[in-house]
Amino acid sequence: MAQVDLTMDFLGERFAPEIRREERILESGTVSYTGVVYTMTHDGMSGTYIDFPGHIAETDNGLYADNCPLDMVFRVPASVVRLNKKSGDGAVSAAELEAAFGGKVTTPAMIINALGKMNPLEMEKRSVFLDDSAIEWIIDSKCRLLISDIYESEALHGVFLKLFGAGITTVCLPVNLYSLQAREVLVTALFARMPQVTQLPCRLVAEF
């Protein structure tokens, strides 16, 4: 089974963290060695990151990084919807998504690769986005995990408010989605169990 890492580099990105490395000498009896300790300060949107509905206070459904069911983020069947949009192409509709996939999505997770081989940060900011019909199509699919390289427009027309309101968790800034050479894959999002946290960096992996 092929495995593909869909995770954006944690460094060299607009929310790059500050990482401090410290060496500590540890001694006990005849044993002595140097421990390496890291202190990190970073934004919840550093690299590829997961957003639970509580990322918006009004749609908080009590789902956090420490109580998220494993079957929601571990080896979840995901349908892959492929487009090949260019920077500045504007809105993506439900009709485009359904035509690209060849029907309705019925898996518990959905992956939208709208930008082909383009990294989400390479396009003009939010110049390709999901329109209202696309959001309704996604919600109607009953998926609970959405991984996409496009979401909101610069106009802030409520994409995340609607998705979170429907109980859909999202993963933002994935890369290498074009490498998924299957209509359906298994996807896993790995992250620390941080209590009451609704947005944090994750490692995203697909198998097919």
Side-chain angles (χ1 to χ4, degrees):
M1 183 174 285
Q3 297 174 333
V4 178
D5 195 332
L6 307 175
T7 314
M8 180 178 288
D9 192 349
F10 200 66
L11 301 173
E13 187 262 326
R14 64 177 176 235
F15 296 110
E18 176 187 352
I19 300 177
R20 295 191 302 277
R21 182 181 187 273
E22 179 185 351
E23 293 187 357
R24 298 178 184 175
I25 305 301
L26 302 172
E27 295 180 306
S28 177
T30 59
V31 177
S32 176
Y33 58 87
T34 303
V36 180
V37 180
Y38 296 91
T39 302
M40 293 169 279
T41 303
H42 62 82
D43 193 285
M45 295 182 286
S46 295
T48 301
Y49 62 95
I50 190 166
D51 271 337
F52 295 99
H55 175 52
I56 294 178
E58 290 83 354
T59 56
D60 192 336
N61 62 355
L63 190 65
Y64 308 118
D66 62 332
N67 67 5
C68 172
L70 282 178
D71 61 5
M72 185 182 145
V73 292
F74 181 71
R75 304 194 81 203
V76 186
S79 298
V80 183
V81 182
R82 297 181 185 82
L83 300 168
N84 194 20
K85 295 291 184 176
K86 297 179 177 59
S87 182
D89 275 355
V92 171
S93 69
E96 289 180 272
L97 294 177
E98 187 160 337
F101 186 65
K104 302 286 188 181
V105 168
T106 59
T107 50
M110 184 187 307
I111 297 173
I112 299 176
N113 175 210
L115 301 176
K117 293 186 177 182
M118 186 165 50
N119 181 311
L121 296 182
E122 293 173 345
M123 73 168 176
E124 180 185 350
K125 187 179 178 182
R126 296 185 173 183
S127 64
V128 185
F129 55 90
L130 299 166
D131 74 6
D132 290 341
S133 70
I135 298 306
E136 289 306 313
W137 186 79
I138 293 165
I139 292 171
D140 288 346
S141 77
K142 307 302 182 186
C143 79
R144 285 293 166 262
L145 179 65
L146 175 64
I147 298 157
S148 178
D149 52 13
I150 62 168
Y151 281 101
E152 187 73 85
S153 72
E154 279 288 79
L156 198 67
H157 62 283
V159 163
F160 288 104
L161 185 63
K162 294 170 186 174
L163 291 172
F164 294 158
I168 296 174
T169 293
T170 63
V171 176
C172 303
L173 297 185
V175 294
N176 301 326
L177 296 182
Y178 66 89
S179 299
L180 303 179
Q181 301 300 313
R183 179 179 171 85
E184 187 175 316
V185 302
L186 296 176
V187 68
T188 297
L190 302 171
F191 47 85
R193 290 189 62 183
M194 302 181 72
Q196 303 294 299
V197 171
T198 60
Q199 180 192 70
L200 71 168
C202 68
R203 182 80 177 266
L204 189 66
V205 180
E207 303 170 79
F208 60 93

